[in-house]
Amino acid sequence: AQSVTQLGSHVSVSEGALVLLRCNYSSSVPPYLFWYVQYPNQGLQLLLKYTSAATLVKGINGFEAEFKKSETSFHLTKPSAHMSDAAEYFCAVSPKGDKIIFGKGTRLHILP
Amino acid sequence: DTGVSQDPRHKITKRGQNVTFRCDPISEHNRLYWYRQTLGQGPEFLTYFQNEAQLEKSRLLSDRFSAERPKGSFSTLEIQRTEQGDSAMYLCASSIAGNTEAFFGQGTRLTVV
């Protein structure tokens, strides 16, 4: 079955530091890949998605992710963390472009 | 259009009671998805519709759960004889078939006491 694994259920970074959230996927063919963000008591908001057009994907709020087929990875980065980035981040895969399968999430804490 | 709307936002019910949730998708979206999210976990897929047809149901969806989308617009998710393990956030999402981007509602938080 298709799945994603997020390394680290909690990540803490200082304000202004690099954000790196790790995600590895399992898929026999290149799938559709996503990063979603969830703020407390809110639904999920799409940050960015990979659909095979380009390996480096730019999203909202300064986030980007790079699809690396050789490593089956789709890590999320942001050069400089902001306090407002504190939230839960979910990596997700859609093998056939319909239902989405989510990872367990990584909670990002921003230290002042 | 204000996005995907879910009602109610919160529901507290006693064990054994039936509950029904409603989801109104974005108006031109023909696909509608239901997910369940428990504390500390990612959302788990339950079922999805394309127009009024239910195309896939997860094995997680016990026979106490039923979902409908009778006219291909709004959808309802009913849980019969609720159990404490049903306590979770129930999320609805919608999309256009062929477009991978799904838009999520704010969810209905169910607490079974």
Side-chain angles (χ1 to χ4, degrees):
Chain A
Q2 312 284 357
S3 67
V4 291
T5 302
Q6 292 185 242
L7 301 176
S9 57
H10 292 264
V11 169
S12 296
V13 301
S14 298
E15 191 174 18
L18 172 72
V19 175
L20 171 61
L21 303 182
R22 299 177 189 273
C23 173
N24 288 88
Y25 66 91
S26 67
S27 175
S28 57
V29 295
Y32 300 105
L33 290 161
F34 309 85
W35 277 98
Y36 279 85
V37 62
Q38 188 175 37
Y39 297 99
N41 299 314
Q42 298 291 315
L44 294 132
Q45 182 181 9
L46 181 68
L47 277 178
L48 50 81
K49 65 178 180 180
Y50 167 76
T51 56
S52 78
T55 56
L56 184 62
V57 183
K58 294 188 182 297
I60 62 171
N61 301 339
F63 285 94
E64 62 182 37
E66 186 172 7
F67 172 74
K68 290 188 176 180
K69 184 178 178 181
S70 60
E71 299 176 6
T72 60
S73 69
F74 191 58
H75 302 330
L76 181 71
T77 60
K78 181 174 180 177
S80 177
H82 192 272
M83 296 300 289
S84 62
D85 294 327
E88 186 99 25
Y89 291 80
F90 293 96
C91 182
V93 63
S94 181
K96 295 187 293 182
D98 47 27
K99 70 180 181 186
I100 298 173
I101 301 163
F102 289 87
K104 292 189 175 183
T106 297
R107 182 163 295 279
L108 178 63
H109 305 270
I110 309 298
L111 308 173
Chain B
D1 192 352
T2 56
V4 179
S5 176
Q6 292 188 246
D7 183 70
R9 291 290 311 278
H10 303 273
K11 178 71 176 180
I12 300 175
T13 191
K14 291 184 178 180
R15 191 162 45 116
Q17 297 293 304
N18 299 344
V19 293
T20 300
F21 310 140
R22 176 178 170 126
C23 172
D24 287 90
I26 294 171
S27 58
E28 65 268 25
H29 286 188
N30 55 357
R31 282 191 175 170
L32 187 149
Y33 305 82
W34 285 100
Y35 292 84
R36 178 173 66 191
Q37 185 178 22
T38 53
L39 203 60
Q41 299 294 317
E44 296 172 300
F45 169 78
L46 294 178
T47 188
Y48 91 94
F49 295 83
Q50 182 159 312
N51 301 313
E52 64 275 10
Q54 189 172 20
L55 295 190
E56 187 173 348
K57 288 172 61 173
S58 166
R59 278 171 270 181
L60 293 174
L61 212 63
S62 78
D63 55 9
R64 296 185 297 106
F65 287 69
S66 62
E68 292 183 342
R69 194 183 184 199
K71 296 182 180 178
S73 56
F74 74 91
S75 175
T76 57
L77 177 68
E78 181 183 18
I79 309 174
Q80 296 182 324
R81 305 181 302 281
T82 52
E83 302 173 356
Q84 286 191 319
D86 297 331
S87 296
M89 175 79 87
Y90 289 84
L91 294 165
C92 177
S94 70
S95 71
I96 297 173
N99 186 328
T100 55
E101 184 167 353
F103 293 81
F104 281 79
Q106 292 193 308
T108 294
R109 182 169 294 284
L110 173 67
T111 303
V112 181
V113 297

